Amino acid sequence: MRPFSDERPAADPNRRGSAFPASHELATGPVKSPPVTVDGFVQEFLSELNYGQGVKLSQSTINDQYLALARTVRSYLMAAWLETGHRRRKNPTKMVAYLSAEYLLGRQLGNALLSTNLISIAEQAMHECGIDIAELRAQEIEPGLGNGGLGRLAACFVDSLATMDVPTIGYGIRYEYGIFRQSFEDGRQVEQPDPWLRLGSPWEFPHPERAVTVGFGGQTEESADEEGRNRCRWTPERQVRGVPYHYMVPGYRNGVVNTLRLWSAEAHEGFDLQVFNSGDYARATQAQTVAENISKVLYPDDSTPQGKELRLQQQYFFVACSLHDFIENTLPGDFDLQNLPKRIIFQLNDTHPVIAVPELMRLLVDEKGFDWDEAWAITQQCFAYTCHTLLPEALEVWPVELLGRLLPRHLEIIYRINDDFLAQVREAFPGDEWRVRRMSIIAEHPQRSVRMAFLATVAAVKVNGVAALHSQLLRDNVLPDFAELWPEKFTNVTNGITPRRFVRLANRRLSGLVTEALGTEEWVTDLDLLRGLEPLADDAAFREQFRQVKAANKNRLALVLEGRDGLVLEQDHLIDVMVKRLHEYKRQSLKLLHVVSLYEGVRSGRLPIERVTPRTVLFGAKAAPGYHLAKETIALINHVAAVVNEDPIMQGRLKVLFPANYNVNLAEKIIPAADLSEQISLAGKEASGTGNMKFALNGALTIGTDDGANVEIRQLVGDDNFFLFGLSEPEVEALRKEGYVPSSYYEQDPVLRATLDLIGSGHFTNGSRHSAAAVVDNLLHHDPFMALADFQAYLAAQDRVDEAYADQDAWSRMAILNVARCGFFSSDRSMRDYLDKIWHA
Ligand SMILES: *Cc1c(COP(=O)(O)O)cnc(C)c1O
C-alpha cells in the first residue's frame, strides 16, 4: 500500500544544498542594517504585525505588538548573525566554548535595541503607531535560566565576547522553567513555576534537524578491534534527543552576533502508539515525560549540590550535546582531531560541566579510535576550569554508585584518569600515601564519590578563581596539594560585569551625563575611560548633576515598586540596598540586626530619633526552596518591616522594603537608585560577588567586609571612599581555631543583647517567640558565619555612613570617584584576562 506513490522520499533534513546562485545568498529587500528611518521601521513593524502575527494594528494585543517589535528588531541582528557565522567559517580560528549550566540573561529587547543603535528610532516608530514602547518592554518575561551570580556572570561574559569579536559559542540548557517566581504569603516565601515561554519566545531559533542523541545507563563491554587492540563499547539503556535552540548574542554596535546554543531534551522515540491506542495514556507518554524532565526546570539551589540524579542527567545531557555539536557539526568534516586544542577551549563554568572531560575521552578513544595517551594529551589542552566557591559543602561530588549506574563508561574513564594521575603523584612524592589519598579524584568517605573539582583540576590547562583573594584562598585552602604539584596551573581572573546592560541600559541618565562629560561614548566599550571623570568629582556643578541623576533614578524606582509591589519608596531617604541570593554566608541577618538595633534604640530612648538618618533599607533575595533557615530569615525580614514601617515612634525615618522576586530586571531598576551597597559577607566566604561591582559603577558607596572583589574595589576607589568593617580573613581563621562563642558577644554588648532580645521576644512576630527563634538561635548558638562577631564593627561603620551622608556634597564626590575608578570591573577586562592568561585564542 503506497498511498503517496508519486511523492519522493524526504531528504535528510540536515542536507545542505550546494548549487545555489551566489547572487541569491542574502535577501536584498529592505536593507537590514541601520541606519534606518522611522518610517521604514514603522513599515517593518506593521509588516511583522500583519504577516507575522496575522493581525491588524487596531486588533492587536500588547503581546502581538511586543512580538512584532521583537521580530522587527531581531531582523536587524539577523544579517550580522549570518555574516558573523560566514566569516568564522571562512577563516576558522581557535574558538571559545563557554560551558555553563546557567545563563541569567535578563530581558532581551532592550539589549537588542541598544546593540543595533535602534533605541530612539524604535521609540519614535512606536509613538507614531500610538504605542508606548515602555509598555511593550514591560511585556517581556526575562529568561531566568540561572540562579544568581554564576549565571549572570556567564551572560555578562558572552556579551563581552561578542563585543570584542571573539569567536564564541555559549552552550547550556534551555530550561522550560527557569528560576522560580517568588511571592510572599504572610511574609513567607512561596515559589511558583516560571513560565517564561508562555507568551511566545521571539528570541530563540529551534533547530530540530540538528538534534543530538545522548545515552544513559546500560553496560560497557570490551572487545578487540581489527588491529587487535582492546576497545570499549558502551551500550546505553535509553536515549534522549537534545534539540538545540539558538539565541543571538549581539556585540555592541560592531556587526558581530555570536550564538548561544541551549539544549532542550525530547523523547528519542515519541510516545508508544500501540499503548496509546489501547487506552493507557499515562504509560504511552511515560518515556516522553521522563526524557523531557531533563530540561524541565532549573535547580533552584545556588551553592550546595543536591544529590539529585536528575541534576547529573542535566549536566551530562548538555555537555554531551555540546561536545557532539562542536566536533561533528561545527568543525569541518575532514578535521584531524589531533589539532583539536588549536581550535577550541572549553571553559568550565564551575564543576557543573566537568563530566565533559570523560565524555571527550570517550569520544576520542571509543568512537574515534585514539590511543588513551594520545586522547589524554588532547583532552588536557582543551579544558580550563573556573572555581566559584570556597564553601567546602558547595564542592560537587557524585556518588560512584549513581555515576556508575547513569554513566558506566564515564566512571571507568574517571577511574583510569585517576590511576594515571595518582601514579604521577606517587612519582612526585614517593612514599607519601596520605597525600595520594587526599588528592584522589575518588573520595572514600562518607561514601565513595567522584570529586568533580579534582577531576576538573587534573584535566584543565588552567584553574582560576574569580577575585584576587579568592584565587589565593583557592590555592591555600581548597586545592593546596594541587597548587603544590602544579603551581603554574593556578591563576586569577577577577570577575566583571557588562557595562552595556548594567550601566548604559540600566542607567540611561548616568550614561548621558558620563558621555557628555567625557565628550565620547567610547566608555561603553572601554570602561577605563571613566577615569576621565575623576577631576569632575571636584566640580560642584557636576556633583549637582550627578545628584539629579540619582534623584531621578530613585523616582523611577519609586514608580516601579509602586506599580509592581504596591510599595512606597521615600525618595528623600538614603537608599540602603542588599540584593542577592539569601544565604547565611552573605549575612542578610547582620543587616537585619542593624535595622532592629536602630528601631530598638529609638524605642528604648538610647537613640534620639533626630539622630536617625532617614533611611530605606531595601532587600531583594530568593532562598532555595529547601533551605529552611534562609526562608525563616526572609519571613523575619518581612515581619520586622511590617512593624518598623508602621510604628509612629520612628516618624517615618526608617523603612524596610522587600519587593518579591528579585531578578535581573529588578536589579536594573534598583541598583541605579541606590546610595549604599551592602556587601557584608564573612571575610573569606564570598568568592567575588558581582553585585558589588554593579553598585559601584552606578555611583553607590559600598559598606563591606574585606571579602571577594570588595578587596579590589576598595583598593581602586581608596579607603576614603569605601566603608570597610569587620574581621579580615586571617582573623576569621584565627577566631575559628580559637573557638567562636557567639553568646560571649551577646553577653558583652548591651546593644546587641537588646536587639536580639527584642527579636526573640516575639515583638515582630505577633507575640510568637517561636517564629523568630530559628534565626536568633542560629545567630546565638551555631552561626559559622560569625555575624555577631562583626556586629559592633558593622554598626560603627553604619555610623560613619550616616556622618558621610550628612554632607551631600562630600558624598557625591565619593560616589563619583567610585564610578571613575571602577572601570576595571568591566567584563571586557575579564575577557581580556581570560584570553591572555588562559585561552590564548
Ligand atoms: C548580579 C546579580 C546577582 C549576583 O549578586 P551578588 O551580590 O554578587 O551575589 C544575583 N542576582 C541577580 C539578578 C544579579 O543581577
Side-chain angles (χ1 to χ4, degrees):
M1 187 186 63
R2 300 182 61 194
F4 300 114
S5 57
D6 60 346
E7 190 185 86
R8 57 167 162 158
D12 171 358
N14 251 314
R15 201 188 74 186
R16 290 201 177 91
S18 53
F20 301 121
S23 53
H24 285 53
E25 184 72 355
L26 283 172
T28 53
V31 178
K32 284 296 186 184
S33 59
V36 64
T37 62
V38 173
D39 285 348
F41 195 94
V42 167
Q43 286 311 313
E44 287 170 20
F45 168 74
L46 292 176
S47 175
E48 286 290 353
L49 200 56
N50 300 156
Y51 309 127
Q53 279 303 108
V55 290
K56 292 182 180 175
L57 181 58
S58 61
Q59 299 292 305
S60 62
T61 62
I62 295 258
N63 197 52
D64 288 326
Q65 295 160 15
Y66 162 69
L67 291 173
L69 176 60
R71 293 211 187 92
T72 307
V73 177
R74 85 178 186 188
S75 72
Y76 284 90
L77 289 168
M78 199 54 99
W81 202 12
L82 296 172
E83 181 52 34
T84 304
H86 176 70
R87 192 158 50 86
R88 300 260 158 86
R89 274 189 298 277
K90 226 174 54 187
N91 183 17
T93 53
K94 186 166 175 179
M95 291 191 79
V96 177
Y98 200 76
L99 296 180
S100 178
E102 301 187 9
Y103 290 89
L104 192 53
L105 295 170
R107 286 180 177 168
Q108 298 296 290
L109 178 57
N111 191 51
L113 285 166
L114 177 69
S115 59
T116 48
N117 203 1
L118 284 169
I119 292 181
S120 88
I121 284 178
E123 271 170 3
Q124 293 171 59
M126 290 306 98
H127 184 73
E128 293 204 352
C129 295
I131 294 168
D132 177 1
I133 196 171
E135 201 169 27
L136 299 196
R137 289 177 62 172
Q139 188 68 12
E140 181 173 356
I141 307 177
E142 71 177 63
L145 309 184
N147 272 290
L150 175 142
R152 185 52 236 178
L153 186 78
C156 283
F157 281 5
V158 293
D159 177 274
S160 284
L161 289 164
T163 295
M164 295 160 73
D165 195 10
V166 177
T168 308
I169 313 181
Y171 283 116
I173 303 174
R174 178 184 177 271
Y175 301 102
E176 192 179 331
Y177 295 93
I179 183 69
F180 63 85
R181 271 197 195 170
Q182 178 193 54
S183 57
F184 298 133
E185 277 176 25
D186 299 330
R188 309 190 70 83
Q189 170 175 297
V190 176
E191 303 97 24
Q192 271 117 20
D194 158 49
W196 70 285
L197 294 165
R198 196 168 53 184
L199 292 174
S201 178
W203 303 105
E204 62 179 20
F205 298 83
H207 283 277
E209 81 290 354
R210 284 185 67 155
V212 172
T213 301
V214 178
F216 289 99
Q219 287 91 42
T220 63
E221 57 187 328
E222 291 225 354
S223 61
D225 66 9
E226 312 89 74
E227 288 154 49
R229 289 179 304 185
N230 265 352
R231 289 286 165 209
C232 188
R233 259 177 62 102
W234 172 33
T235 318
E237 179 200 347
R238 62 197 178 86
Q239 298 191 309
V240 173
R241 250 161 63 88
V243 176
Y245 284 67
H246 295 180
Y247 294 74
M248 297 186 276
V249 183
Y252 178 76
R253 299 182 187 174
N254 64 350
V256 173
V257 178
N258 281 339
T259 300
L260 180 60
R261 189 164 289 150
L262 304 184
W263 299 97
S264 178
E266 288 185 4
H268 190 58
E269 287 137 7
F271 65 99
D272 190 324
L273 187 59
Q274 264 76 47
V275 177
F276 191 88
N277 286 341
S278 76
D280 190 347
Y281 305 129
R283 193 161 69 84
T285 54
Q286 190 181 15
Q288 202 168 3
T289 309
V290 168
E292 286 169 5
N293 273 343
I294 291 181
S295 58
K296 181 68 74 182
V297 59
L298 169 76
Y299 270 83
D301 197 3
D302 201 32
S303 64
T304 52
Q306 297 207 338
K308 286 278 159 66
E309 187 162 337
L310 191 57
R311 189 164 177 135
L312 181 57
Q313 289 181 32
Q314 290 186 332
Q315 295 182 356
Y316 178 63
F317 166 72
F318 98 87
V319 146
C321 289
S322 305
L323 289 192
H324 180 99
D325 176 79
F326 186 78
I327 290 172
E328 304 296 342
N329 297 340
T330 307
L331 291 172
D334 56 353
F335 188 79
D336 178 359
L337 288 172
Q338 284 287 358
N339 296 323
L340 192 61
K342 296 202 181 91
R343 289 296 295 282
I344 193 72
I345 181 83
F346 292 105
Q347 185 67 40
L348 305 168
N349 194 24
D350 215 289
T351 52
H352 315 141
V354 170
I355 197 74
V357 170
E359 173 66 2
L360 181 58
M361 286 299 287
R362 186 188 71 80
L363 290 173
L364 292 173
V365 174
D366 296 358
E367 299 199 354
K368 304 291 179 182
F370 280 83
D371 284 343
W372 178 272
D373 291 340
E374 279 176 331
W376 183 240
I378 295 169
T379 299
Q380 269 195 306
Q381 297 174 73
C382 286
F383 290 99
Y385 162 51
T386 306
C387 178
H388 282 274
T389 188
L390 284 164
L391 307 178
E393 69 270 25
L395 288 173
E396 211 172 23
V397 295
W398 290 110
V400 160
E401 178 277 320
L402 168 61
L403 208 147
R405 183 155 45 78
L406 219 53
L407 301 167
R409 178 57 183 145
H410 297 77
L411 183 60
E412 290 173 5
I413 291 171
I414 291 167
Y415 274 128
R416 173 128 183 224
I417 292 172
N418 195 38
D419 287 346
D420 293 356
F421 164 61
L422 293 182
Q424 207 181 329
V425 175
R426 287 196 176 93
E427 202 173 305
F429 300 94
D432 195 348
E433 278 306 303
W434 177 229
R435 179 186 301 265
V436 170
R437 234 183 302 167
R438 280 199 313 262
M439 296 182 79
S440 174
I441 294 169
I442 308 294
E444 299 295 337
H445 300 287
Q447 59 179 333
R448 260 192 143 206
S449 317
V450 181
R451 296 159 157 157
M452 300 308 270
F454 287 16
L455 177 57
T457 302
V458 170
V461 196
K462 293 278 178 185
V463 176
N464 76 286
V466 290
L469 174 66
H470 174 236
S471 294
Q472 184 61 46
L473 296 172
L474 191 60
R475 278 184 289 245
D476 294 350
N477 301 345
V478 183
L479 300 166
D481 293 316
F482 292 88
E484 192 181 343
L485 183 63
W486 296 312
E488 67 297 334
K489 219 185 231 205
F490 286 76
T491 187
N492 170 249
V493 178
T494 299
N495 282 166
I497 58 157
T498 171
R500 269 74 65 188
R501 180 175 292 271
F502 285 111
V503 184
R504 180 61 186 78
L505 266 183
N507 202 339
R508 273 168 90 167
R509 294 181 185 89
L510 181 63
S511 299
L513 183 62
V514 168
T515 298
E516 188 189 301
L518 297 178
T520 167
E521 223 181 352
E522 296 275 302
W523 61 270
V524 175
T525 51
D526 182 0
L527 209 57
D528 289 330
L529 292 178
L530 292 180
R531 280 270 172 202
L533 297 175
E534 255 188 62
L536 293 166
D538 292 318
D539 178 331
F542 186 79
R543 288 197 299 264
E544 179 54 32
Q545 288 177 303
F546 188 85
R547 276 195 293 278
Q548 282 170 11
V549 164
K550 192 60 86 183
N553 290 338
K554 288 183 185 183
N555 185 250
R556 175 180 69 157
L557 178 61
L559 294 171
V560 168
L561 293 180
E562 164 87 69
R564 181 185 186 276
D565 308 273
L567 295 173
V568 178
L569 181 76
E570 308 288 346
Q571 296 178 44
D572 55 350
H573 277 196
L574 184 166
I575 306 294
D576 173 356
V577 183
M578 184 159 190
V579 287
K580 49 184 75 245
R581 282 302 285 261
L582 208 137
H583 207 292
E584 287 162 271
Y585 84 82
K586 292 177 181 280
R587 301 201 295 190
Q588 277 91 354
S589 55
L590 180 58
K591 175 75 253 174
L592 188 65
L593 289 181
H594 171 231
V595 169
V596 176
S597 77
L598 292 174
Y599 175 68
E600 191 282 329
V602 173
R603 265 174 59 93
S604 66
R606 172 169 47 76
L607 180 60
I609 185 71
E610 324 75 67
R611 290 211 18 234
V612 176
T613 299
R615 184 193 282 248
T616 289
V617 176
L618 215 156
F619 287 94
K622 290 180 185 176
Y627 190 171
H628 177 70
L629 190 53
K631 293 176 95 170
E632 291 297 325
T633 306
I634 286 178
L636 184 56
I637 294 171
N638 279 323
H639 292 141
V640 168
V643 171
V644 169
N645 293 352
E646 295 305 319
D647 195 329
I649 199 172
M650 296 311 290
Q651 299 175 21
R653 290 171 86 97
L654 180 61
K655 296 279 177 185
V656 180
L657 301 183
F658 195 160
N661 203 42
Y662 179 60
N663 60 9
V664 177
N665 180 40
L666 191 57
E668 290 170 18
K669 306 300 187 300
I670 289 178
I671 292 169
D675 295 305
L676 188 64
S677 158
E678 298 276 349
Q679 308 300 336
I680 60 177
S681 51
L682 177 66
K685 301 297 175 187
E686 184 76 87
S688 163
T690 49
N692 47 5
M693 303 167 186
K694 297 170 197 164
F695 281 100
L697 279 164
N698 279 282
L701 299 185
T702 305
I703 183 166
T705 48
D706 224 9
D707 200 15
N710 295 356
V711 177
E712 288 154 86
I713 293 177
R714 183 172 58 86
Q715 281 164 358
L716 282 163
V717 306
D719 286 330
D720 294 345
N721 305 304
F722 187 105
F723 300 98
L724 174 70
F725 75 95
L727 299 173
S728 67
E729 191 277 330
E731 287 167 346
V732 168
E733 257 328 281
L735 180 54
R736 198 184 54 77
K737 287 216 178 79
E738 167 195 318
Y740 170 58
V741 184
S743 55
S744 67
Y745 299 88
Y746 173 84
E747 274 144 28
Q748 282 160 29
D749 180 347
V751 174
L752 176 58
R753 196 159 59 234
T755 301
L756 280 169
D757 285 351
L758 185 61
I759 300 172
S761 72
H763 181 78
F764 302 106
T765 42
N766 255 331
S768 154
R769 293 205 184 93
H770 184 71
S771 337
V775 177
V776 172
D777 276 1
N778 177 63
L779 290 175
L780 266 175
H781 302 297
H782 310 283
D783 186 23
F785 303 103
M786 302 180 176
L788 302 194
D790 275 343
F791 176 77
Q792 229 169 46
Y794 182 49
L795 260 53
Q798 290 288 5
D799 286 343
R800 284 185 276 135
V801 168
D802 287 339
E803 209 176 303
Y805 194 72
D807 183 347
Q808 276 292 294
D809 224 26
W811 182 278
S812 304
R813 188 176 175 282
M814 295 161 76
I816 292 164
L817 289 176
N818 266 259
V819 176
R821 294 174 178 173
C822 281
F824 175 79
F825 298 106
S826 168
S827 45
D828 301 348
R829 189 271 316 149
S830 304
M831 294 300 90
R832 230 173 298 120
D833 284 353
Y834 274 93
L835 285 164
D836 293 346
K837 298 182 184 182
I838 300 176
W839 298 335
H840 310 292

